[in-house]
Amino acid sequence: MSDISLTSSDRGALLSLQRTAEVRNEAASRLTTGLETQSTADDPIVFNEASAIRDRVNDLLNAKDRIGQGISAIETSLDGLDALSNLNDQLRGIARSALGGDETQRQIAAEQFDRVRAQFDALAADSSFGGTSLLTSTSEQLSIPVNDRGTTLDIQGAASDSTGLGLGNASGSFNAFQSDADIRAALDQLDSVRGSLRTTSQNFGGDVASLQVRDSFNTQLSNTLETGAQNLVEADLNEEAARLLAADLREQLSLSGLQITQDSTALLAEII
């Protein structure tokens, strides 16, 4: 078989077709993916910069998840504090009902008081989320990451069981309500308990508000960073469509030129 001989014009046309095919494939890929930079091979600086931004976005989203868990834990404690406030009101009602009562009424009230008081400890223990109970011990602490740099918001526990609130029992601390003075002493202590519960609720409510601000900020920042990363690597679809159309046109012209060259060469060969 004889070797195929290509003229310089043929070789130029074939090289042009090859380059045109590369441009067309690149434009088609960008139109399909919407990305101009898909790997370090396309543009290492841009690709690595976009990857670093997306890594930060992932860190912020992880912080958002932890913030959500933290808010749930604190809101669980707030629910517990509401229930404890209701119990406190119930105890106040029991104590007031015994004022001026006879011995039997006082004894019944004292027994009811102690039964309800016992629920303080159970409620404080039950107000836990994910193994964290902020109402059982002042040593309990919830550390919540709030950003991608590891900064935390530390929520300190507030013991809100009967011992932590300093709430005595009727049978021991208040002499089984034997006198109105004993009952008034219990009411004074219940007023103090109510104030403590309100203070703890206000503190936890402020913590929730702070975390919600952080959560909203992280959402906005994540969206902004993701948009920035996308802008770095995304393709201009109008530009790529134009490149694809131009490549198709160049290919057609190159093929036509190659055909004309071949026809001319054949015709010349016949004449000679």
Side-chain angles (χ1 to χ4, degrees):
M1 180 180 293
S2 60
D3 293 336
I4 298 176
S5 178
L6 295 178
T7 66
S8 59
S9 296
D10 292 337
R11 285 192 293 271
L14 289 174
L15 287 173
S16 176
L17 283 171
Q18 183 178 6
R19 288 193 295 269
T20 299
E22 291 173 354
V23 171
R24 182 180 58 193
N25 291 338
E26 181 181 75
S29 175
R30 291 177 178 179
L31 284 171
T32 300
T33 63
L35 299 176
E36 179 177 346
T37 305
Q38 302 179 50
S39 67
T40 54
D42 298 322
D43 190 326
I45 295 177
V46 169
F47 182 82
N48 289 330
E49 184 178 354
S51 296
I53 293 174
R54 288 197 166 117
D55 287 342
R56 188 182 178 196
V57 170
N58 289 333
D59 291 340
L60 286 170
L61 293 178
N62 289 333
K64 270 180 57 64
D65 290 340
R66 296 290 298 276
I67 288 173
Q69 295 294 307
I71 289 175
S72 295
I74 300 171
E75 288 180 338
T76 298
S77 297
L78 286 170
D79 291 340
L81 290 168
D82 285 342
L84 290 171
S85 294
N86 291 335
L87 285 180
N88 192 65
D89 290 341
Q90 188 177 347
L91 289 175
R92 289 172 59 81
I94 293 171
R96 283 177 175 173
S97 70
L99 284 170
D102 58 28
E103 183 178 352
T104 300
Q105 290 172 328
R106 291 171 186 270
Q107 181 180 357
I108 292 173
E111 292 173 354
Q112 289 178 334
F113 187 98
D114 285 346
R115 282 197 300 271
V116 174
R117 174 188 173 277
Q119 294 302 311
F120 266 74
D121 297 340
L123 260 175
D126 290 342
S127 302
S128 63
F129 182 89
T132 300
S133 178
L134 295 173
L135 302 184
T136 56
S137 173
T138 54
S139 63
E140 186 73 37
Q141 186 180 74
L142 181 63
S143 295
I144 306 169
V146 295
N147 58 26
D148 56 314
R149 300 189 306 277
T151 304
T152 62
L153 177 63
D154 297 326
I155 312 299
Q156 196 66 42
S160 300
D161 54 6
S162 60
T163 301
L165 291 169
L167 177 59
N169 56 16
S171 59
S173 303
F174 307 117
N175 201 26
F177 290 170
Q178 290 185 16
S179 68
D180 284 354
D182 295 324
I183 295 172
R184 291 192 182 94
L187 289 171
D188 288 343
Q189 195 169 93
L190 290 170
D191 285 342
S192 177
V193 168
R194 179 171 57 184
S196 296
L197 292 173
R198 285 179 176 174
T199 298
T200 302
S201 292
Q202 290 170 355
N203 290 338
F204 284 170
D207 292 331
V208 169
S210 296
L211 288 171
Q212 288 172 337
V213 170
R214 275 291 191 172
D215 185 65
S216 178
F217 172 75
N218 284 351
T219 298
Q220 294 172 356
L221 181 57
S222 296
N223 291 338
T224 299
L225 290 173
E226 182 61 36
T227 299
Q230 187 65 24
N231 289 340
L232 283 173
V233 298
E234 71 179 1
D236 184 329
L237 299 184
N238 290 330
E239 179 182 339
E240 297 306 326
R243 290 181 68 217
L244 182 61
L245 183 61
D248 288 340
L249 181 59
R250 282 196 300 271
E251 183 180 56
Q252 293 174 11
L253 292 174
S254 294
L255 287 173
S256 296
L258 184 60
Q259 184 63 49
I260 291 172
T261 299
Q262 291 174 343
D263 290 345
S264 299
T265 301
L267 180 59
L268 182 60
E270 290 178 2
I271 293 174
I272 295 174

